[in-house]
Amino acid sequence: MREHLVEDAYTCASCGFCRFGCPVYREIGFEGASARGRMYLLKRVFEGKLGYTERVVDSFYMCAQCQNCKQLCPTGIDFGEDVAILKEMFVREGKLPSYLFPLRDNVIEKGNPFGKDAEERGEWLPGKYQTPEPSEYLYFAGCSASYASTRIAKSIVKILDQIEFDFTVLGKEESCCGSPLERMGEITKAGELMEKNMEKFKELGVETVIVSCAGCLKTFTHSYPKDFKVLHVTQLFDQLMREGRLEFQKELDKKVVYFDGCDIGRHCGIYEEPRNILRSIPGVKLIEYEYSREDALCCGGPLASSQPDLAHKIASSRVREAKELGAEIIATACPTCMVNLKEGAKLIQIEMEIQDIPMLLPKFLKKG
Ligand code: SF4
Ligand code: SF4
């Protein structure tokens, strides 16, 4: 692992191309916040001129691991991956920044980042889904949609219920997918949560896990054993539309811009399905950010629980860009992006409707 870091640090050509797409560097204009700056820090560490001091460690935790710099780097450095290796090492060496302790402890002790009781996790569920049943499909709501943005989860269940799609939900038996722990480098503890969820999937005979959170999508896709298929809800809805089981009829005469979150986009390669859904709503004029799909700029969401001020500042830039395009709605495919963009809009007092795609859909659904 160290060899990999050394190789990347000395491969870096110091061209600075990575700075352009870095959401953190763009916001604070500080060289140490870019991949190039951190490559320089790493070289100093490897040459014995610098240690992993609190400031150095913090600078790596300031990276959103959005992968934009990987797109831009002519030498192919995957800096987000380097950061993941470093964070795991920092945790092993007891260097996890203290501002992440409450988040870590909540996820480990309560199974969610908010420190809420497991009993509350299933409160949003309609009665008939309160008890998990054996099923081929399972909707894994994730922590945000279970506790904070429950309208997303409720909309998904409502839509699937309406078209008589057979599925189950874990409700209060669901635990965090492990994403927040993985992001901070607590890999062993994340693995324990993964095993807990896997056991439930096996008990119920689940073959496909449907997720609405892009963080869950990334974690299930890249870190869980490949024992089941993973679908983001926009992929499922797109599939159901093509099968003629899902149709929208009411008009939405608005300019909508789709926000490509990093976890669903660059990390999982899903770009078209959310756009297909939006285009299928009559009247929607789908517009694009100047930088979209693989080139999309991060909203700062991955930093929201550790460095909220920075995250909201980054998000405000994405909201301002949408406003300048003439967008009336920003549509997201991840609760973290939605919540963070809303905070960004609040920060700069811009009126903007920001909705996660599942939330937009129920009122446009064609009744069977
Ligand atoms: S992964 Fe994203 S946040 Fe981190 S250095 Fe690269 S562009 Fe910046
Ligand atoms: S784009 Fe790649 S090679 Fe250029 S400075 Fe950034 S990390 Fe180094």
Side-chain angles (χ1 to χ4, degrees), residues 112-313:
N112 68 82
F114 312 111
K116 301 251 186 182
D117 288 332
E119 287 296 316
E120 287 177 47
R121 193 170 185 116
E123 277 177 0
W124 61 275
L125 270 168
K128 75 183 239 203
Y129 293 103
Q130 283 286 342
T131 310
E133 301 282 351
S135 176
E136 183 184 340
Y137 290 92
L138 177 136
Y139 168 45
F140 187 93
C143 301
S144 298
S146 295
Y147 290 106
S149 307
T150 54
R151 258 189 70 205
I152 297 175
K154 284 179 189 161
S155 301
I156 290 167
V157 167
K158 192 173 172 186
I159 294 167
L160 294 179
D161 208 24
Q162 201 168 312
I163 63 164
E164 296 176 352
F165 186 88
D166 187 47
F167 70 104
T168 192
V169 189
L170 287 178
K172 59 177 187 277
E173 293 183 32
E174 186 183 285
S175 293
C176 170
C177 68
S179 167
L181 294 178
E182 215 180 25
R183 280 183 205 275
M184 66 175 81
E186 286 279 4
I187 305 301
T188 311
K189 292 288 178 195
E192 288 170 16
L193 287 175
M194 291 175 195
E195 270 175 34
K196 213 170 153 189
N197 283 319
M198 284 295 298
E199 253 172 53
K200 301 272 176 201
F201 301 164
K202 277 186 195 146
E203 267 171 42
L204 300 170
V206 173
E207 290 174 26
T208 301
V209 174
I210 303 154
V211 295
S212 46
C213 168
C216 298
L217 176 75
K218 180 186 162 200
T219 308
F220 280 129
T221 306
H222 298 300
S223 307
Y224 274 66
K226 310 277 174 246
D227 296 354
F228 54 91
K229 195 173 166 190
V230 188
L231 279 182
H232 188 265
V233 71
T234 56
Q235 292 178 294
L236 176 69
F237 286 171
D238 182 51
Q239 191 183 306
L240 293 170
M241 274 166 29
R242 279 185 278 114
E243 290 168 5
R245 293 177 68 187
L246 199 60
E247 256 182 89
F248 305 105
Q249 56 180 9
K250 219 173 130 212
E251 289 251 334
L252 176 64
D253 189 17
K254 296 245 164 119
K255 273 190 185 171
V256 180
V257 67
Y258 171 63
F259 179 78
D260 288 285
C262 312
D263 286 348
I264 186 170
R266 274 187 295 273
H267 285 282
C268 293
I270 299 169
Y271 300 107
E272 298 314 318
E273 292 90 335
R275 288 175 167 84
N276 292 344
I277 296 169
L278 293 168
R279 270 191 220 104
S280 73
I281 304 174
V284 162
K285 186 169 184 306
L286 188 64
I287 56 173
E288 292 286 341
Y289 270 104
E290 185 179 3
Y291 300 102
S292 64
R293 294 184 170 81
E294 291 87 350
D295 302 323
L297 296 170
C298 173
C299 71
L303 302 171
S305 43
S306 56
Q307 299 172 71
D309 292 347
L310 175 60
H312 300 162
K313 212 164 163 241

Side-chain angles (χ1 to χ4, degrees), residues 51-52 57 86-96 185:
Y52 286 122
V57 170
L86 282 161
K87 284 178 175 176
E88 199 179 340
M89 185 187 87
F90 294 148
V91 166
R92 268 200 316 272
E93 293 179 358
K95 291 190 164 86
L96 180 75

